[in-house]
């Protein structure tokens, strides 16, 4: 069996979508003739913990770890945060007091001095360890997955040093990620980010991306073949393909994940508020359930529409618990960032939403990648950022179905997004260069 070395910053017990993508690939790679070896930091900055993901790691998988130094301890002292505080890469502030001059200065330092990111000090020590490991263990193929893009810099350096075959997997864009312009970059720093991005796109033997939008975007930087392998769902995480709903007395609109200021669906809050004022029963039944972090600006927006009494806020849940929440909700909310790159956003949670059997309401561009997948699989409807009347009408229809006990969806072909099927596609990419 051929060996592939996977370089990933995120690995259990860290939680989140960035972990799930490669944990699920590793789970199935042996079925396609590849023995995965994982390289990851021993002491990363973890935004969340999720012990439940460890069940997906096959027995006897070799995991190599090294200690990493990161500047976050200094950042926390500088901004007056507790050392136990988790760093939010998407600029999510849970309370208004967390922003200010010190926060802006630290953001400037982060963007301009730590290039490509705060994990840059992981690059050189890892290069030495992995060079020796690759030689001793006859590794012919490496994979880097980012962000953080420091992982790709490890791959780039190993490629230059050893001429090893290299697949660069992009889970998010680099210079077109939604918070890139919040980094307050100087012209010099911006130029360096673009230079490094172009080097990776030019030198990797194969590049995988998660959406057609990212494929088009990268083609504008370096014209070449890009392989679209989206995120997906693991059928093993669900009891069956048509999960039964619990007897939930609430018409629950659930959002899974961090709700940042760029995802704040003001038009949705307005539509819900109007329905509450028009229908007393709806007012009693409706519940907005956010599972994850909630930005202070979003909380203010919800309160301004008088919806704070309808809000149920739950902190981070482990993945096995999230699956149950997806199945038991009445409606799942997919809120796309209202940013210039909104059309190419294809968040991993969408695919789990699709298999949950729960109708999806997506707020985002109707001609975006997420809207295309939802329409293709018949798992929900997409509304633009400024639509209110249409959302209100659709919510009324869904609520009527909820009252009658007929709330459901008739799904199209979702199985092509099952994790094992996606792993087969990743293995094809490996086979094409090994």
């Amino acid at each position: 069996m051929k060996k592939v070395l996977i370089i990933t910053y995120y690995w259990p017990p860290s939680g989140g979508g960035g972990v799930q993508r490669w944990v699920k690939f590793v789970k199935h790679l042996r079925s396609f003739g590849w023995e995965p070896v994982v390289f990851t930091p021993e002491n990363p900055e973890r935004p969340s913990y999720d012990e439940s993901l460890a069940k997906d790691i096959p027995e006897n998988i070799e995991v190599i770890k090294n200690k990493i130094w990161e500047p976050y301890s200094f950042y926390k002292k500088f901004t007056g945060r507790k050392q136990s505080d988790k760093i939010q890469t998407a600029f999510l502030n849970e309370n208004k007091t967390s922003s200010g001059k010190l926060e802006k200065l630290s953001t400037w330092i982060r963007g301009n001095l730590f290039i490509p990111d705060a994990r840059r000090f992981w690059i050189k020590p890892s290069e030495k360890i992995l060079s020796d490991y690759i030689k001793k263990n006859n590794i012919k193929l490496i994979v880097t997955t980012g962000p953080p893009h420091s992982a790709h810099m490890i791959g780039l350096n190993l490629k230059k040093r050893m001429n090893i075959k290299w697949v660069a997997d992009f889970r998010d864009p680099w210079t077109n990620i939604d918070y890139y312009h919040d980094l307050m970059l100087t012209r010099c720093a911006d130029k360096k980010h673009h230079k490094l991005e172009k080097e990776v796109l030019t030198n990797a033997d194969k590049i995988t991306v998660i959406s057609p939008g990212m494929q088009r975007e990268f083609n504008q930087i370096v014209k070449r073949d890009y392989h679209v392998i989206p995120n997906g769902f693991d059928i093993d995480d669900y009891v069956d393909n048509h999960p039964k709903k619990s007897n939930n007395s609430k018409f629950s609109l659930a959002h899974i994940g961090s709700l940042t200021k760029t995802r704040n669906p003001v038009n949705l809050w307005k539509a819900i508020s109007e329905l509450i004022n028009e229908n007393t029963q709806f007012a009693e039944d409706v519940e907005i359930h956010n599972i994850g972090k909630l930005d202070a600006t979003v909380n203010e927006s919800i309160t301004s529409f008088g919806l704070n009494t309808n809000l149920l806020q739950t902190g981070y849940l482990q993945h096995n618990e999230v699956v149950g929440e997806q199945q038991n909700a009445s409606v799942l909310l997919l809120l796309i960032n209202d940013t210039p790159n909104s059309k190419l956003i294809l968040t991993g949670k969408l695919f789990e939403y699709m298999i949950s059997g729960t109708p999806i309401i997506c707020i985002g561009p109707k001609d975006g990648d997420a809207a295309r997948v939802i329409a293709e699989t018949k798992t929900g409807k997409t509304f633009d950022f400024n639509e209110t009347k249409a959302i209100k009408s659709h919510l009324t229809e869904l609520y009527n179905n909820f009252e009658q006990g007929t709330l459901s969806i008739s799904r199209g072909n979702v199985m092509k997004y099952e994790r094992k099927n996606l792993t087969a596609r990743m293995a094809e990419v490996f086979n094409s260069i090994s």
Side-chain angles (χ1 to χ4, degrees), residues 7 9 39 41 66-70 113-131 144 148-161 174 192 196 200:
I7 301 167
Y9 181 86
F39 179 74
N66 69 333
K67 286 196 173 181
I68 179 175
W69 183 85
E70 299 181 72
L113 301 186
F114 300 108
I115 298 174
D117 46 60
R119 281 83 185 201
R120 59 172 293 185
F121 301 101
W122 189 39
I123 299 170
K124 284 200 175 298
S126 301
E127 184 184 341
K128 175 66 172 68
I129 291 169
L130 293 179
S131 294
T144 57
H149 300 300
S150 286
H152 294 315
M153 299 313 300
I154 296 171
L156 179 64
N157 292 346
L158 290 173
K159 176 69 178 178
K160 289 179 177 179
R161 176 188 282 203
W174 188 326
K192 188 167 184 179
L196 294 177
V200 170

Side-chain angles (χ1 to χ4, degrees), residues 113-387:
L113 301 186
F114 300 108
I115 298 174
D117 46 60
R119 281 83 185 201
R120 59 172 293 185
F121 301 101
W122 189 39
I123 299 170
K124 284 200 175 298
S126 301
E127 184 184 341
K128 175 66 172 68
I129 291 169
L130 293 179
S131 294
D132 293 341
Y133 182 88
I134 288 166
K135 289 175 186 174
K136 291 176 183 176
N137 292 274
N138 197 31
I139 302 292
K140 301 298 184 185
L141 175 65
I142 63 171
V143 175
T144 57
T145 179
H149 300 300
S150 286
H152 294 315
M153 299 313 300
I154 296 171
L156 179 64
N157 292 346
L158 290 173
K159 176 69 178 178
K160 289 179 177 179
R161 176 188 282 203
M162 310 181 75
N163 197 31
I164 190 168
K165 297 296 184 182
W166 169 35
V167 176
D169 176 58
F170 282 86
R171 303 187 318 276
D172 280 309
W174 188 326
T175 57
N176 197 31
I177 198 164
D178 51 13
Y179 57 80
Y180 183 76
H181 295 290
D182 292 326
L183 293 171
M184 298 185 289
L185 300 174
T186 63
R187 184 178 298 178
C188 179
D190 178 60
K191 186 176 179 180
K192 188 167 184 179
H193 274 287
H194 281 88
K195 177 179 177 291
L196 294 177
E197 177 183 42
K198 190 170 183 178
E199 271 196 84
V200 170
L201 296 180
T202 301
N203 287 282
D205 293 280
K206 295 287 181 180
I207 296 175
T208 55
V209 296
I210 64 163
S211 71
M214 284 178 65
Q215 181 186 44
R216 291 191 297 271
E217 174 196 284
F218 281 151
N219 252 314
Q220 293 175 2
I221 302 169
V222 175
K223 195 163 184 61
R224 58 171 295 169
D225 288 333
Y226 296 89
H227 302 268
V228 179
I229 303 179
N231 289 305
F233 62 87
D234 186 344
I235 199 66
D236 293 341
D237 292 336
Y238 296 82
V239 176
D240 54 50
N241 288 345
H242 301 281
K244 295 177 181 178
K245 302 294 177 185
S246 67
N247 293 321
N248 192 350
S249 61
K250 290 290 187 179
F251 180 60
S252 175
L253 311 177
H255 174 264
I256 313 293
S258 297
L259 219 175
T260 63
K261 61 183 179 181
T262 59
R263 295 176 191 154
N264 185 19
V266 175
N267 55 338
L268 176 63
W269 309 145
K270 186 174 188 297
I272 295 171
S273 177
E274 289 179 5
L275 284 171
I276 284 175
N277 291 331
E278 295 167 7
N279 186 329
T280 54
Q281 190 59 51
F282 180 87
E284 289 182 20
D285 291 342
V286 70
E287 175 184 85
I288 302 164
H289 190 186
N290 187 67
I291 301 167
K293 303 287 188 180
L294 185 69
D295 193 274
T297 58
V298 182
N299 204 10
E300 284 182 350
S301 184
I302 289 171
T303 301
S304 71
F305 283 101
L307 302 177
N308 49 306
T309 56
N310 301 95
L311 176 66
L312 175 62
Q313 174 61 29
T314 303
Y316 181 86
L317 294 180
Q318 295 197 77
H319 185 247
N320 58 338
E321 297 174 292
V322 165
V323 166
E325 294 293 343
Q326 292 168 353
Q327 293 172 315
N328 290 329
S330 307
V331 178
L332 289 168
L333 302 177
L334 186 72
L335 307 177
I336 304 297
N337 303 63
D338 190 2
T339 50
N341 70 340
S342 60
K343 290 183 181 180
L344 61 83
I345 294 174
L346 196 54
T347 177
K349 78 183 78 169
L350 166 59
F351 302 97
E352 294 195 339
Y353 278 14
M354 293 189 315
I355 196 62
S356 71
T358 304
I360 300 168
I361 287 181
C362 174
I363 310 294
K366 288 184 171 182
D367 57 348
D369 288 337
R372 176 188 54 79
V373 172
I374 290 171
E376 170 204 347
T377 56
K378 301 180 176 64
T379 49
K381 287 192 176 182
T382 302
F383 301 90
D384 218 328
F385 297 112
N386 297 317
E387 282 189 278

Side-chain angles (χ1 to χ4, degrees), residues 64-92:
I64 309 163
K65 295 184 179 181
N66 69 333
K67 286 196 173 181
I68 179 175
W69 183 85
E70 299 181 72
Y72 286 124
S73 58
F74 293 99
Y75 166 79
K76 290 171 184 177
K77 287 179 182 178
F78 186 69
T79 56
R81 297 185 180 214
K82 297 177 182 178
Q83 288 299 313
S84 59
D85 286 351
K86 304 302 179 186
I87 303 300
Q88 300 294 332
T89 57
F91 291 87
L92 181 145

